[in-house]
Amino acid sequence: MMLLERQPQLQQMDALLAEATAGRGRVVVVSGEAGAGKTALVEAFASRLDDGLTVLRSACEDLSIPDPLGPLYDLARNGQWELPRDDRQVQRLPLFSEALDVFEAKAPCLLVIEDLHWADDATLDFVRFLGRRIANSHILLLITARTDRSEGQMRVRRALGEIPAGNVVRIDVPLLSESAVLSLAEAAERDGNAIYRASAGNAFFVTELLAAEGDGALPASVRDAVLARAEKLSPGARSMLDAVSVFPRRADAWALSGLCGIAAAGQLAECVSHGLLEDFGDGYAFRHEIARTAIEMALTPSKRREYNERALAALRDNPQVATARLVHHAVEAQNLDVVRELAPVAAREASRVGAHRDAAGYYEVALRHADVLPMDKRAELYEGHAFECHLIGRVDAAMEAQDRARVLRQALGDRLKEGDSLRCLSRFAYLLGDRESADRFGEQAVELLETAPGSAELAMAYSNLSQLAMLAERLDDTLFLGGKAVELAERLNRPDILCHALNNVGAAGQWLDFAKGRRDLARSLGIALSGNFQEHAARAFTNCACVEMNRLNFKEAASFLDRGIGYCVENDLATWRDYMRGVQAQLLLRRGLWNDAATVAHEVVDDDATTPLVRYPSLVALARLRIRRGDPSAEPIVEEMRRFLDKGMELQRLAAFAGVLAELAWLGQADRQEALRLVAVAESLAPTPAVFGELAVWRELLSPGSDPADTDGMAEPHRLQLTGNWRAAAALWAEMGAPFEQAMALLRGDEAAQRQALAIFEDLGARAVAQHARSLMRESGVSHIARGPRQATRANQAGLTQRQMEVLELLERGFSNKKIAAHLTISPKTVDHHVSAVLEKLEVISRGEAAAAARASRLV
């Protein structure tokens, strides 16, 4: 079929390739519904290219669980680059860096990855990695992906969203127009109107309908059209077509020969001549996944099992075949012995390259058929599943799997493994926000493991208790238990445990000797990165950033957060990534970048899969932001924060909540005595005055004239404010780039300083705080205070209704139409109309421009 209505896309791809050839690489995402013609467009583009251009092709397969890095292995093989298949040799970041060097050396280079919606997490991470570095290369990465709302497409969207926007170009493949279908039908002497009604312009369905023979009624679906063509094959060729259908995407020629014998060549040729298969020289594939699925779904269950069993036997003869492909066919063939043998192997391979979501999937497959395995083997599977689940944020599932492992280890009398399970349960309970259970499990682990002294499990249990003590700011316990863990880890030569313990010791030691605490944390991070201890590295990045935040070293904190979040993205560590995003949101709030802070925090809070503990830093940022803006939606966030205190008064969360409640009380929106009580509780738990500098400032605001107490070791701006030197404190905050804190210090000063503070609050959009500041200024005798433009007046000037103003405010905060609808209790369709009206009245063409215009004109 000729390619119609694709010239604009081809011209755009030509231009992007020319830019890549000149050294400005891009990621090009060709998207459209299944059957829209994405592959045909890519084929047409590739056919126009010069022979001197390197073109490397790959694709993702619709396996039950994806093959980790399968497309990268395809690209390497096509580029004659030998990539290690032994997963023990694979470290992802060095591998990705080498891949970038290899592909750049072939420049200009076109890389094609088709069907990214079926990609494994490691492949998505490779796309992220390359996408963030592609701008300065001679590489064009061409990706095809569906536009459905499947989980795979959502993961693709998230991955592409973490690539700089300027590095990604999206090209849509629309359905064919009615005129295009009529033109094609006329050339084939078919009823174009009927074909358009049946196909709605889907290119693949149009092709199948045009190929349907006879003058009878059109097939009702693509499946019917494909099956009708398949029925015209000889019995042998039809059997061959059925056999090929169980191979996702493509069947290797050598595998088909092994599967079907010497008659395979002739049967395959017949399938090709009837237009059902394509011959790629070394393999065969259906022209589209829709056609393959139609044939496969027509198989009886017994035939499907038979063909998959034969495919499995043929593929197992080749040691180069990925374990993931073998597991897929073993599952489809219901060959449980092979599933039990290979699924755990596939899980370990996926984990080693950082495809933790896929690793968890393989463990689930193995566990579904593990009932006949010995108890120790089942325990190993549960332990592996728990570890992978906790890395991807499925902590409830991790708790369940780890407890099953603990019960099995207990039944086996294996004290070391049982104790280690208790230690893991302690960690998972903490991640779920259950501090009491975390302490209980942690203490039980040490008690059990001390009956068998000198083990690595005991060293890690000591380090876990040290971590819990550090998180509660119990410095003496942290250093004592951490010291025992360090000593035992060094004696056992366990660098993974050593870096975990040093992390605890360094984070706690910051309050006693800041320089030494920094050194211990730096050493911990260095060991984790050099040993590829991914979770330990993520935790080290987090604590390094938090230590710098505590000391108000914002530049250093930002550097650790940027590096840490990037590391977690590239290694599929969702839990730590999202925790650091919350800390990043708090930092952005400090720096006056409130809309950016809201966007980052919402990325975490709006994800229903995020665990309570991981949500907390983002909740802190959103609570402060909404309180300062006078947003009534702050209340449910504050209540969610309060619930964390029900299961243990951990200082780091208590301090944050006490600060939020104190700010509410200062604004007259919460009970002052309750806020002061919580501040006092937090101060009583703090090991040194340095920990509660910010809370001491709030206490003094709520109770003017109170004794500032010991200010030694506090961050300098806090110490200056508590000793009455508001001018120096404000200057320091200004130098740090913290405008809200600067204004709060100025508000304690003379009339000129108070007016400056009010102007800063207005510029930030801190409406509630600005209103309170005016009240305080009037109480102190300041007159002629600028009221600030009334929102209703500004709205009327822009011609916006009250409802449109509400929509604009939420739009400016980064809410999607769906979230705006839920927030205002109206339908998404109504929100669409309001957004369109807002854009028209503000004379802008995008939501981003509307938000910018609203801020510039002080509408919000």
Side-chain angles (χ1 to χ4, degrees):
M1 186 179 77
M2 70 180 79
L3 198 65
L4 297 180
E5 300 185 328
R6 299 295 184 254
Q7 281 307 118
Q9 290 88 347
L10 290 170
Q11 289 170 2
Q12 187 177 6
M13 292 159 76
D14 287 339
L16 290 167
L17 181 59
E19 290 186 24
T21 301
R24 176 65 173 96
R26 296 288 216 305
V27 177
V28 181
V29 185
V30 177
S31 58
E33 70 172 47
K38 299 182 292 295
T39 297
L41 178 63
V42 172
E43 294 290 348
F45 175 59
S47 69
R48 297 150 58 106
L49 303 179
D50 296 334
D51 292 338
L53 182 77
T54 301
V55 181
L56 305 179
R57 305 285 295 267
S58 69
C60 304
E61 293 183 301
D62 187 18
L63 299 175
S64 50
I65 300 172
D67 175 18
L69 292 179
L72 182 55
Y73 281 93
D74 286 346
L75 294 172
R77 183 169 55 253
N78 292 337
Q80 298 182 334
W81 166 41
E82 188 170 348
L83 227 147
R85 256 297 178 190
D86 182 351
D87 56 284
R88 290 168 297 182
Q89 301 174 20
V90 176
Q91 290 192 9
R92 285 201 320 175
L93 295 186
L95 179 67
F96 292 173
S97 294
E98 185 179 354
L100 177 58
D101 291 341
V102 168
F103 298 143
E104 179 64 10
K106 298 178 180 295
C109 182
L110 172 66
L111 305 178
V112 179
I113 303 178
E114 291 206 60
D115 296 322
L116 195 66
H117 45 271
W118 289 324
D120 63 288
D121 286 333
T123 295
L124 290 177
D125 289 340
F126 171 66
V127 170
R128 289 187 188 98
F129 177 92
L130 188 56
R132 285 197 288 269
R133 295 159 178 83
I134 204 166
N136 298 318
S137 76
H138 298 78
I139 298 170
L140 191 70
L141 174 58
L142 186 60
I143 289 166
T144 68
R146 292 181 182 174
T147 52
D148 54 25
R149 293 185 175 274
S150 65
E151 180 185 351
Q153 172 56 22
M154 297 300 291
R155 288 168 50 232
V156 169
R157 194 171 295 127
R158 284 195 295 269
L160 296 175
E162 290 166 344
I163 298 173
N167 293 2
V168 180
V169 177
R170 289 170 171 80
I171 297 178
D172 183 49
V173 181
L175 298 175
L176 295 174
S177 68
E178 184 175 5
S179 61
V181 175
L182 291 174
S183 174
L184 293 167
E186 183 180 1
E189 299 181 347
R190 305 299 299 277
D191 184 350
N193 290 316
I195 289 175
Y196 182 72
R197 285 194 303 271
S199 68
N202 181 287
F204 180 71
F205 199 7
V206 169
T207 304
E208 291 301 312
L209 293 176
L210 288 173
E213 297 181 6
D215 298 323
L218 286 174
S221 66
V222 172
R223 177 179 181 275
D224 291 344
V226 171
L227 291 175
R229 296 175 71 185
E231 290 304 318
K232 295 179 170 52
L233 296 172
S234 67
R238 177 57 199 269
S239 295
M240 173 58 74
L241 191 71
D242 290 343
V244 175
S245 75
V246 303
F247 288 85
R249 184 156 193 97
R250 180 169 166 155
D252 297 302
W254 56 264
L256 292 173
S257 296
L259 191 150
C260 298
I262 58 174
Q267 294 165 352
L268 287 165
E270 184 179 342
C271 293
V272 171
S273 68
H274 277 72
L276 286 159
L277 294 180
E278 289 184 284
D279 183 354
F280 293 95
D282 59 347
Y284 294 83
F286 283 82
R287 291 192 308 105
H288 198 282
E289 179 64 15
I290 295 174
R292 186 196 72 80
T293 304
I295 298 297
E296 185 185 28
M297 291 299 100
L299 294 174
T300 64
S302 61
K303 275 293 182 184
R304 192 170 176 177
R305 287 196 299 272
E306 176 191 339
Y307 282 124
N308 274 287
E309 187 67 59
R310 290 164 64 185
L312 175 64
L315 293 173
R316 289 202 79 174
D317 288 338
N318 187 338
Q320 297 301 313
V321 171
T323 310
R325 293 184 67 190
L326 300 178
V327 173
H328 170 81
H329 289 292
V331 169
E332 294 295 314
Q334 298 182 24
N335 188 328
L336 302 188
D337 288 338
V338 175
V339 170
R340 294 184 190 103
E341 174 192 352
L342 294 183
V345 176
R348 291 191 293 271
E349 289 176 355
S351 181
R352 287 192 183 106
V353 297
H356 300 295
R357 193 179 316 276
D358 304 310
Y362 283 118
Y363 277 121
E364 287 172 8
V365 169
L367 284 165
R368 281 200 292 270
H369 309 290
D371 52 320
V372 300
L373 293 177
M375 282 198 294
D376 60 334
K377 295 296 182 184
R378 275 185 283 154
E380 287 176 9
L381 292 177
Y382 279 121
E383 287 159 356
H385 187 228
F387 182 74
E388 300 301 330
C389 282
H390 110 276
L391 287 180
I392 60 175
R394 293 175 53 198
V395 185
D396 282 318
M399 284 283 290
E400 181 181 351
Q402 195 67 57
D403 195 52
R404 287 175 178 266
R406 180 196 63 79
V407 170
L408 290 168
R409 296 299 187 185
Q410 186 180 59
L412 289 165
D414 189 337
R415 285 182 295 171
L416 291 182
K417 293 294 186 181
E418 182 189 353
D420 202 46
S421 283
L422 287 165
R423 190 266 307 169
C424 290
L425 287 169
S426 170
R427 179 62 184 155
F428 300 158
Y430 182 83
L431 291 175
L432 287 174
D434 188 350
R435 175 73 201 215
E436 293 177 356
S437 294
D439 287 336
R440 184 177 69 255
F441 284 130
E443 289 162 3
Q444 289 173 354
V446 167
E447 182 180 352
L448 179 62
L449 291 167
E450 281 185 335
T451 62
S455 68
E457 289 81 1
L458 177 60
M460 194 63 202
Y462 283 143
S463 192
N464 176 65
L465 280 187
S466 173
Q467 181 182 8
L468 290 171
M470 176 269 290
L471 293 166
E473 312 293 351
R474 299 199 313 267
L475 303 190
D476 290 343
D477 289 345
T478 304
L479 298 178
F480 173 71
L481 291 162
K484 295 179 76 168
V486 167
E487 179 185 358
L488 190 50
E490 288 182 329
R491 177 150 53 91
L492 296 170
N493 192 27
R494 287 294 301 268
D496 54 334
I497 302 174
L498 176 61
C499 76
H500 187 275
L502 286 170
N503 196 318
N504 307 325
V505 170
Q510 64 170 308
W511 302 114
L512 304 176
D513 184 337
F514 183 64
K516 183 179 184 303
R518 257 184 171 174
R519 287 196 301 272
D520 286 337
L521 281 170
R523 186 183 172 199
S524 171
L525 179 58
I527 293 171
L529 291 175
S530 63
N532 196 32
F533 306 134
Q534 294 177 4
E535 189 188 14
H536 296 329
R539 193 169 78 94
F541 275 122
T542 302
N543 282 342
C544 285
C546 289
V547 163
E548 300 301 339
M549 283 278 284
N550 290 337
R551 291 290 174 164
L552 308 181
N553 298 326
F554 298 149
K555 184 177 179 181
E556 291 83 355
S559 175
F560 279 119
L561 288 170
D562 288 342
R563 290 170 58 203
I565 291 170
Y567 181 87
C568 290
V569 166
E570 289 174 351
N571 289 283
D572 194 25
L573 301 170
T575 296
W576 288 105
R577 176 202 65 198
D578 287 345
Y579 192 93
M580 276 190 270
R581 279 177 170 166
V583 179
Q584 187 180 53
Q586 294 182 37
L587 178 57
L588 290 167
L589 191 70
R590 290 272 203 185
R591 294 167 59 192
L593 303 172
W594 286 11
N595 292 311
D596 293 340
T599 298
V600 171
H602 272 295
E603 287 177 358
V604 177
V605 171
D606 292 347
D607 185 350
D608 295 336
T610 306
T611 60
L613 180 76
V614 172
R615 291 168 60 87
Y616 199 86
S618 292
L619 293 175
V620 173
L622 283 177
R624 289 173 175 161
L625 181 59
R626 293 185 182 182
I627 288 167
R628 293 167 189 178
R629 284 176 163 171
D631 189 335
S633 63
E635 183 178 349
I637 294 179
V638 174
E639 287 308 306
E640 184 176 347
M641 293 176 64
R642 188 191 299 273
R643 288 196 291 272
F644 272 83
L645 306 183
D646 296 340
K647 293 187 177 181
M649 283 280 192
E650 188 172 276
L651 180 59
Q652 64 170 318
R653 261 161 286 288
L654 171 61
F657 179 75
V660 165
L661 201 66
E663 190 164 351
L664 276 170
W666 179 70
L667 291 171
Q669 298 171 23
D671 183 81
R672 184 179 295 257
Q673 293 307 314
E674 172 64 9
L676 284 170
R677 183 188 71 80
L678 281 178
V679 169
V681 172
E683 290 182 342
S684 71
L685 295 175
T688 73
V691 175
F692 56 82
E694 187 167 346
L695 278 182
V697 171
W698 282 115
R699 181 192 60 199
E700 204 274 332
L701 283 171
L702 294 176
S703 181
S706 60
D707 183 4
D710 186 3
T711 60
D712 287 346
M714 286 184 184
E716 189 63 6
H718 294 147
R719 190 189 66 77
L720 289 168
Q721 282 179 247
L722 288 167
T723 55
N725 194 345
W726 60 265
R727 196 183 305 275
L732 258 182
W733 286 121
E735 184 180 331
M736 292 177 181
F740 182 83
E741 286 75 12
Q742 176 194 359
M744 289 296 292
L746 288 168
L747 198 58
R748 310 300 300 278
D750 55 26
E751 180 177 335
Q754 290 175 12
R755 292 187 184 277
Q756 185 183 352
L758 181 58
I760 293 173
F761 291 141
E762 288 283 3
D763 286 342
L764 287 171
R767 294 184 293 272
V769 181
Q771 183 178 350
H772 186 61
R774 290 189 183 91
S775 298
L776 294 175
M777 291 167 69
R778 282 192 290 270
E779 290 174 8
S780 65
V782 178
S783 59
H784 305 296
I785 303 169
R787 185 175 64 178
R790 290 179 59 199
Q791 188 182 61
T793 301
R794 295 193 300 268
N796 289 337
Q797 291 170 351
L800 299 176
T801 66
Q802 181 177 348
R803 178 62 89 186
Q804 288 165 357
M805 275 298 301
E806 292 171 346
V807 169
L808 177 59
E809 286 181 343
L810 297 174
L811 185 152
E812 188 266 345
R813 282 165 45 193
F815 278 37
S816 66
N817 282 12
K818 183 178 178 181
K819 279 189 64 64
I820 293 173
H823 191 83
L824 298 178
T825 322
I826 56 179
S827 72
K829 188 173 183 180
T830 301
V831 173
D832 289 340
H833 293 317
H834 285 315
V835 170
S836 297
V838 168
L839 298 183
E840 181 179 351
K841 290 179 179 180
L842 295 182
E843 298 181 354
V844 295
I845 61 173
S846 71
R847 299 163 70 91
E849 288 184 11
R855 291 191 293 272
S857 58
R858 308 290 291 278
L859 279 165
V860 296

